[in-house]
Amino acid sequence: MLFNSIDFAIFLPIFFILYWFVINNNLKLQNFLIVAASYLFYGWWDWRFLSLILFSTIVDYTVGRKLRTEENQTKRKFLLWTSILVNLGFLGFFKYYNFFLDNFITAFSFFGTEINIQGLNIILPVGISFYTFQTLSYTIDVYKRKLEPSQDFIAFTAFVSFFPQLVAGPIERATNLLPQFYKKRQFDYSKAVDGMRQILWGLFKKIVIADNCAEFANQIFNNSIDLNGSTLVLGALFFTFQIYGDFSGYSDIAIGTSRLFGFDLKQNFAFPYFSRDIAEFWRRWHISLSTWFRDYLYIPLGGSRGGTWMKIRNTFAIFIVSGFWHGANWTFIVWGTLNAIYFLPLLLTNNNRNNLQTVAQGKLLPGLKEFSFMLLTFGLTVFAWIFFRADSIGHAISYVSEILSPSLFSIPKFAGMGRALTTIILVATFVLVEWKGREGQYAIAHLGTKWTPTLRYAMYYSIIFLIMYFGNFNENQFIYFQF
Amino acid sequence: MKKFIYKATIITLPVLILLLLVNYFGDAARLFDSDYEKQMAKIVASNKYVTNIENYDERLFQKELISDKNIQPNLVIIGSSRTMLINSDLFPSALLFNNSVSGASIEDIVSIYELYKFNKKSPQKIIIGIDPWTFNENNGQKRWQSISAYYYSFQNTINQENTTYFKYKELFSFSYFQSSLKMIPCFIAGNANPKSTKETHNLLATKLTDGSFVYGEQYRNANQIEIDNKINSYLTGGIYSIEAFDNISVRILNEFEKLIIDMKENGIEIEFFLAPYAPVVYDKIQKKYPMVLKSEEMINDFASSNNIKLYGSFNPYILGMDKTYFYDGMHCKEVGIEMIIKN
């Protein structure tokens, strides 16, 4: 089920009524309802893959309980690796099997040996990368004794399958989300209103910004061979806002929906395009994944504590794995490598924690220096997105080559340029609103809270009307569903 | 909790009401104005041209026309917008009627043929306009559902589709809202009805008494630069209905063969018509869409093995046509159609 579908618009109020009015006094029943609704939400797409989630849930729950009583370190390690292998085994098979097979065949044919193995026609289960990482965090935290293992199977199942963030995150830590399933939830008016506002803003980001940008980004990337350099720059910019609107929009809807039911999820995007360096960008982009890699990969590898070579190795490891997490394609690996290359000078010169505060905090505009750094970081990010979006490395290289040709200085020209102008105006307005609200959890978190109700309602209606009038209602999937 | 529900209702209710009102009264595709197609058909059947026509249900219009007692052709054209310009001047000895509908799929062709059979006025000859997407299972065409009863009747199956459900679902559709909102000024000004005319060429599109189509003034009189822009736009936007053309559908092929057999059994002479693409579009088709070329080969083989006359080709080069023969990437001008039929 998609957040931007009529199905979800019907599903959500029904769930709300059952949750708060019918079984609000019984925590166990509420958790059971969450599980049922989450399985329905996921099964709407393909019920067959529910078995994967259930299997993963049973394995991690069982491993968690055994880890609680087991004192023998070897056996504890064995239990941990069982969970890791099961979860990563599913992920590896569904997501990477064909990729490794293709590369294996290519490598052998390079040395003159032809191998005839057919790839499998594998459907990638939606959200597998997200819930796999979420459950892994549980097992690792229990293994490290940072978290008490769950004794409540229904609560644990609800934690793994919680529908708002099941298919595209945020990847919640068990330490934050799981305890919320043990406590009775009280309806909180201000929390629910805040949730609704965040959902509204998320829908605007997805339906107006991301899906309109997607139309032009797809058009330009799919026909890049026939287009001039300046048009390709425009295409890369459209994709830059598409991916941000799409993914952060999803996160906003997920966080907002959770708040309606009394749950607090962690912020996943903190206005990353206003970052002043790449290190800051990675503290603000897909925070739940970046911190996951930091805590479960980077730090165990030694983090930035070792010598220069150790730092270089760990930085490349985390960025390349992060790139590979996004998909089984060399383009994602190059994207990760590019970000590692951007990040490394900051790390080696100890400048990676220079910009911990929000840019121009408390001010209307940034200083010239800050603005220049923001622009530079944004430019580097846009460049890396070209590799992320391209169909292949060859496509990305030809795309970049055309940008670097004299045609960069010609006027952008592609079919639908007139319509694209409307989208550009919408994106510019969106950037201004995001800038204004950059110190909040999401752009309109504080917008209008001190206005009169009439003005505030006018703002809500304006956003709704913008969505209705300018939105792209083809029920486009969220990009991150494929990851 | 009560306060929250009250406020959520205050916000959502007006939005819902606005959505329903605009979709119902703006009604971009005339889903809720069942008289519109009847009015159009009445004008055409009374031997007048009809203009000021936009966003109507072309399938329902055909249904109304075919059921009218004044429409009794002996030569029928069934195809897509690419055959809509074939008119009676090209077949002076016949009583021609053009029943083409935009984006015609196999289901449309079958349904329109079945409509003639149902009204007991099967013609002597039918020219079927075949498009590259005709044999593409993934062509995305759904518009035939408004006359699906005739499709299922031909297949001797029960209608599985609940078209009323789809119609009323549109009342809650935001994309339908966007189109319907643009029609609201016409609704308010009471200027939304079809008009009869004696002129064949008008400001807006016109349907002639033989069912053929004449483009509106802006489209008809576009200069070559504007046409080139349309062709480029068509190219970069993805080629209509053949983007996911992976193989020739066995189901469609079987239905097509069944249709041809039925027509022959009813003593109907059959001819095929293939409309060309603009040259640059065909260049792209040659590179990127091999199934289109395979389709044409298959149609050629089918026509020759069944002794069916075939006009035209998807390939403009073999017809000797350059870009000046086209209104856009996929619609050939009247002069080109005449050239195909006369040669």
Side-chain angles (χ1 to χ4, degrees), chain A residues 327-356:
Chain A
N329 194 328
W330 285 102
T331 51
F332 296 118
I333 295 172
V334 172
W335 171 76
T337 310
L338 267 177
N339 276 286
I341 294 167
Y342 295 162
F343 181 80
L344 210 56
L346 296 170
L347 181 71
L348 296 179
T349 56
N350 282 327
N351 283 314
N352 58 316
R353 296 186 67 79
N354 283 354
N355 296 307
L356 298 177

Side-chain angles (χ1 to χ4, degrees), chain B residues 280-304:
Chain B
V280 283
V281 176
Y282 192 74
D283 292 343
K284 188 170 180 180
I285 284 175
Q286 281 184 308
K287 279 187 214 149
K288 269 189 77 179
Y289 305 92
M291 292 317 295
V292 173
L293 309 181
K294 211 172 161 187
S295 274
E296 182 161 357
E297 266 175 46
M298 189 206 70
I299 297 160
N300 277 316
D301 292 346
F302 187 91
S304 69

Side-chain angles (χ1 to χ4, degrees), chain A residues 217-461:
Chain A
N218 291 341
Q219 199 178 324
I220 293 171
F221 271 88
N222 293 344
N223 298 284
S224 58
I225 202 156
D226 303 320
L227 300 169
N228 64 30
S230 59
T231 311
L232 298 190
V233 170
L234 203 57
L237 286 168
F238 276 128
F239 181 70
T240 300
F241 285 101
Q242 178 199 348
I243 193 160
Y244 174 63
D246 193 284
F247 194 19
S248 72
Y250 189 94
S251 293
D252 281 337
I253 302 169
I255 296 167
T257 306
S258 305
R259 286 175 80 73
L260 283 181
F261 303 105
F263 289 90
D264 287 312
L265 304 185
K266 290 272 171 70
Q267 188 184 20
N268 208 19
F269 287 85
F271 312 97
Y273 290 155
F274 300 139
S275 302
R276 287 150 291 180
D277 59 48
I278 285 294
E280 187 186 6
F281 176 84
W282 280 105
R283 280 192 297 275
R284 293 174 174 277
W285 179 274
H286 201 176
I287 300 165
S288 63
L289 182 72
S290 312
T291 51
W292 197 101
F293 278 125
R294 183 196 64 200
D295 295 346
Y296 299 113
L297 183 68
Y298 187 66
I299 292 174
L301 281 174
S304 53
R305 287 193 300 272
T308 306
W309 283 111
M310 180 84 108
K311 284 179 185 171
I312 293 172
R313 184 199 71 176
N314 294 349
T315 302
F316 273 95
I318 189 175
F319 278 107
I320 290 172
V321 172
S322 168
F324 201 46
W325 176 89
H326 285 86
N329 194 328
W330 285 102
T331 51
F332 296 118
I333 295 172
V334 172
W335 171 76
T337 310
L338 267 177
N339 276 286
I341 294 167
Y342 295 162
F343 181 80
L344 210 56
L346 296 170
L347 181 71
L348 296 179
T349 56
N350 282 327
N351 283 314
N352 58 316
R353 296 186 67 79
N354 283 354
N355 296 307
L356 298 177
Q357 302 289 325
T358 305
V359 62
Q361 205 162 18
K363 293 182 197 161
L364 183 65
L365 294 170
L368 191 62
K369 192 178 158 195
E370 276 182 321
F371 183 70
S372 310
F373 282 125
M374 272 166 54
L375 218 55
L376 176 67
T377 310
F378 182 72
L380 291 171
T381 312
V382 173
F383 180 76
W385 285 136
I386 294 173
F387 286 84
F388 191 96
R389 171 58 181 80
D391 301 330
S392 61
I393 300 291
H395 182 207
I397 289 170
S398 71
Y399 198 100
V400 172
S401 308
E402 190 59 40
I403 288 179
L404 298 176
S405 75
S407 73
L408 177 65
F409 302 101
S410 48
I411 295 166
K413 195 180 164 194
F414 69 103
M417 188 65 200
R419 283 184 302 122
L421 216 58
T422 312
T423 302
I424 292 169
I425 294 167
L426 285 167
V427 169
T429 314
F430 165 70
V431 171
L432 288 178
V433 177
E434 288 264 303
W435 174 260
K436 177 91 177 64
R438 71 195 179 283
E439 290 179 46
Q441 286 282 310
Y442 56 96
I444 61 161
H446 304 301
L447 190 67
T449 46
K450 288 178 185 161
W451 296 353
T452 60
T454 318
L455 264 180
R456 201 164 51 247
Y457 275 69
M459 177 188 85
Y460 295 146
Y461 281 124

Side-chain angles (χ1 to χ4, degrees), chain A residues 67 73 76 80 137-147 295-297 299-300:
Chain A
L67 281 172
Q73 201 50 33
R76 284 178 63 79
L80 173 70
S137 86
Y138 167 79
T139 318
I140 299 169
D141 285 350
V142 170
Y143 173 78
K144 289 183 173 174
R145 299 192 192 280
K146 284 182 184 171
L147 176 74
D295 295 346
Y296 299 113
L297 183 68
I299 292 174

Side-chain angles (χ1 to χ4, degrees), chain A residues 17 20 38 56 104 148 163 179 181 212 268 377 421 474 477:
Chain A
I17 290 165
W20 287 121
S38 300
S56 199
F104 186 70
E148 269 298 300
F163 74 85
F181 286 96
N212 280 318
N268 208 19
T377 310
L421 216 58
N474 295 327
Q477 278 223 344

